[in-house]
Amino acid sequence: MAKKKIYAVRKGHKTGLFATWAECQKAVSGYSGAEFRGFTEKEEALAFLNMETTGNVSGDKAKEAAGIVEVPENMVIAYVDGSFEKSIGRYAFGCVILTPDGQEIRKSGSGSDSAGVAIRNVAGEMLGSMTAVNWAIENKYPAVEIRYDYEGVEKWVTGVWRAKTPLTSKYAAHMQEAGKKVKISFCKIAAHTGNHYNEEADQLAKSALLKMDEEVRI
């Protein structure tokens, strides 16, 4: 017998957990920017409720653009980006992780899995975010802020966009599960505007397209 769904509303007229779709619908109907999802497990619904949708610890955009980013204690900031090259059928990700003590960790990789190739650079965008969150957990940081330029990185996780494909569903589930172990927040960065670390993540992704001796996939 299928488990009964529980509905989590993070942004709406009312927020919290709801036992029926009718209650959930009443909480979000007519609310601009409502964020809600249905779950079969209460723990997953609670993780969704507790995940921050936005964050921006940098108050000085000019400094950030120049590569001067102050990272608060007990968290890391990760800039992520993806790339795709049709001629060789590969997607790739780039990720720059900044720590409070000034370390800069660079991660990148590429793959040619058919499902990833089908969504082009989006596969890399998601892989960059997953890599950053995994690194934060492995290195025992309690919080990570993902700075991205493709909206799906955040919106599939927060439920603003419905994850309709196997890969986007897998990505959202991975991030929501990770959210039980590390506090995840998101911050959108405008693409190709000269932001130092965003541009570096982009270049890491492009360079990784040529790393054909490895395969990464969602």
Side-chain angles (χ1 to χ4, degrees), residues 8-11 21 24 28 34-38 48 158-160 162:
V9 177
R10 186 167 46 211
K11 287 187 179 181
W21 167 240
C24 175
V28 301
E35 295 182 8
F36 60 97
R37 284 195 65 184
F48 173 81
T158 61
V160 175
R162 178 64 60 183

Side-chain angles (χ1 to χ4, degrees), residues 11-192:
K11 287 187 179 181
H13 301 297
K14 290 184 178 180
T15 60
L17 300 181
F18 297 88
T20 67
W21 167 240
E23 292 174 328
C24 175
Q25 192 173 34
K26 185 178 179 180
V28 301
S29 181
Y31 188 96
S32 178
E35 295 182 8
F36 60 97
R37 284 195 65 184
F39 297 89
T40 55
E41 300 293 339
K42 186 175 181 179
E43 281 189 0
E44 292 179 356
L46 289 171
F48 173 81
L49 283 179
N50 293 329
M51 186 174 293
E52 291 189 18
T53 58
T54 58
N56 187 359
V57 298
S58 173
D60 192 326
K61 295 296 184 183
K63 281 187 176 180
E64 185 180 3
I68 303 170
V69 178
E70 295 181 6
V71 184
E73 290 296 321
N74 298 318
M75 74 173 294
V76 294
I77 294 174
Y79 291 79
V80 302
D81 210 347
S83 191
F84 176 75
E85 178 52 57
K86 183 178 179 180
S87 64
I88 57 175
R90 295 189 73 83
Y91 53 83
F93 77 90
C95 174
V96 183
I97 302 167
L98 309 180
T99 70
D101 59 0
Q103 292 184 71
E104 298 181 1
I105 293 90
R106 293 166 178 82
K107 301 281 186 180
S108 63
S110 71
S112 59
D113 176 68
S114 60
V117 168
I119 57 174
R120 304 167 72 91
N121 65 298
V122 175
E125 306 278 356
M126 294 189 291
L127 280 164
S129 183
M130 292 165 73
T131 298
V133 167
N134 291 346
W135 190 92
I137 292 171
E138 289 167 6
N139 289 275
K140 304 188 186 312
Y141 282 93
V144 54
E145 179 170 290
I146 306 295
R147 296 190 178 180
Y148 65 90
D149 60 27
Y150 177 70
E151 290 181 282
V153 164
E154 174 179 353
K155 291 184 176 179
W156 280 315
V157 178
T158 61
V160 175
W161 289 2
R162 178 64 60 183
K164 297 179 179 179
T165 70
L167 287 191
T168 55
S169 294
K170 189 174 181 180
Y171 165 70
H174 179 93
M175 295 293 283
Q176 288 157 9
E177 182 65 25
K180 299 174 185 178
K181 302 174 184 176
V182 62
K183 185 177 180 181
I184 303 171
S185 58
F186 295 92
C187 178
K188 190 176 190 311
I189 302 292
H192 309 300

